[in-house]
Amino acid sequence: MPGTGIGARVRRKEDERLTRGRGRFIGDFHIQGLQDVAFLRSPQAHARIRSIVKPADAEKQIYTAADLSGLRPIVTASSLPGYKVSSHPPLACGKVRFVGEALAMAVARTRATAEDLCERIAVDLEPLTPVVSADAARAPDAPRVHDAWDDNIYLLANFDSGIDDALRDAPIKVVREYRTARHCIHPMEGKGLIAYWDHQASQLVVITSTQIPHVIRTGLAQCLDLDQERIRVIAPDVGGGFGYKSILQPEELLLSWLALTHKQPFRWLEDRREHLTAGANTRQHQYRVTAYADARGRLLGLDAEAMVDAGAYSVWPYTACLEGAQIVGNLPGPYDLPSYRCRSFTVATNKPFLVPYRGVSRPGACFAMELTLDAVARAAGREPADVRAENLVPASAMPHTNVAGKHFDSGDYPRSLERARAMIDLPAIRARQQRGEADGRRIGVGFAVYTEQSAHGGKAFTSWGLTVIPGFDQASVKLTPDGGVEVRSGIHTIGQGLETTLAQVASDVLSIPIERITVTLGDTATTPYSTGAIGSRGIVMAGGAVARAARQVADQAKRLAAHLLQCTPDDVALQDGRLVAGQASVSFADICGIWYLRPDQLPDDVDRRGLEATEAYKPSVDTGAFSYATHAALVAVDTDTGGVEILDYVIVEDCGRRVNPMIVEGQTFGGAAQGIGTALFEESPFDAQGQPLASTLIDYLLPGPTELPSIRLEHFETLSPFTEYGIKGAGEGGAIAPAAAIVNGINDALAPLGVEINELPATPERILRALHAAGTSAL
């Protein structure tokens, strides 16, 4: 390892361009003849389309569903029994099902002109009664979001390990209801794409801000009825994704259809209002949880019902049911639960479709489970951290298959909690609570422990009903004629530093410093197949593929070096960019120069595989490598204003071997910031008519530097026995636990007043309302 391999804190290669404004995002592309597209979106949540009339002088610049000859709707299948299929037309056809659904698109030389054209379109809508909440949607007489359905339920998922009736007489029985808010995702760069026809290659080229370029090509081919070799998808620099850009977007279909039909280039860039209202909604759960425990708080059983408000359509390829299906498996978390039952309803409403977001279902499931554990601890009259520790799966039980069938591959969950407890200094906090705060605020401490199923493979995705199943990832490694390295992978970087970490893996194998390694990602024409940057799979899957391809190249290089050094390949070692046998050595540049430029110096029987290789990889066990962490939050609550301040925040996490510790820390800090937004600020409310009430950043609150604490972070490294180098995923973890830890801290502070918050976000309004209901508010 030359100091830039696995474990090194090297600076990110991509930051040289990104921090200097030299990145290339969708808005930076300029193509001759480019036309901009704008969309006319529905002002009503549920209505029949009586007519859409184009202005006569611009009829050829405006398109409705009736014009889209040959373009198929987005239809997302599932293998789960009882799943209902929704047909999502890229432009509304027959009726609209949420505010913001696209009714028409206009094309012009500039976006402003296209928007002006949209304003001239006359739309006649017949209002229908909207279904705005999951509760209302489940009523027998509720209007149907999809007319052909017999109810509004996409799917009912069940799990039942058997709940003994004797548990009803358990010493402790806790019943709680929880709600998490629907909110938006907010990458710095919204959706956007350019589509054009490449006459030379006879290909449709789609340059799109996506996390899954190869999968998007498959989706486009299906909906356009076009062979996949006739489509090239390029993902340039992507300004964040977080799951939002891991689905086939209706706009991607529409612009691709325009380019295929007219053989001209077209562009669309999402504005922030579109983002807030039309396509970036996520996370809206409800839970009713009954926990049974012994007198010490040791869990005996958990009986739960969950609902996910999934909006109007299923997203491709994940369906509307990804959240609901995952709740069933993730609700028990890292706890050794003897018996468990859960029913999860995924419900259709007249709101935007739900898209995957960092942590997919786990932030809500963690919130419900961790708040329930604190409620059990209060019922037992014990310290919540103690009760939590006694319920965690012990290290001695690893590997462990839990009650829901999750296969925990490795880890020491109690040690993580113990370290977080020491870092936050729990005894000092309890003493401080006894003294009280000089400013009259109440302080409280909250803990949350979670597991992050990362790098899941076929078994996990099949259990969630997906018909596009991630499996192998592929990567290519090639030595250049002067001894450099080219790495190509079909995965894409969306801010997680893969250009650096994949180079570090190749560096580790080949002993070549990363300064001599280039990494190419995200172009279906130049990279091998990958299912993309999803599910904390990147460094495990693509990193494993790079490692295997680099090893094959290293073996081929050793054979050439052995010929030059007059030894056997087994005698050759790789050290500091050279191939060494005893006291003699050659450089990579030496052997590459001979292979590419002076093959006359090679024997006739030389191995003809060359100095490049493509390899596929998936872990030996594809149910996932389980990362985990404990978060602890110290908060102060002002009972006069309902305001919450985070005084201290610590994280102790374990994601296996860290390829680049600095990048892992950045991922964790960023995820925690998003989780703090979930806990205290972010919400996308709708009124009774399905109108979004947070359509600008004046209405929608995001945490900024003044709202975020200085987070203290420590790592353990428990290696996975199933992955290359023992690496586990780290991309989603930081966002899972903050809401649970912070709200547990709020409840700890307010417990003496008889107040408990069970809804997200924990806004001042909700806290004051709870205080008022308990008769302790200053109002």
Side-chain angles (χ1 to χ4, degrees), residues 170-181:
I172 293 175
K173 177 183 176 182
V174 167
V175 181
R176 292 291 187 276
E177 293 187 0
Y178 305 104
R179 290 177 180 263
T180 68

Side-chain angles (χ1 to χ4, degrees), residues 290-313:
T290 303
Y292 303 95
D294 66 18
R296 290 183 55 80
R298 185 73 168 86
L299 291 174
L300 304 173
L302 194 75
D303 197 355
E305 181 172 296
M307 273 197 303
V308 177
D309 182 336
Y313 297 108

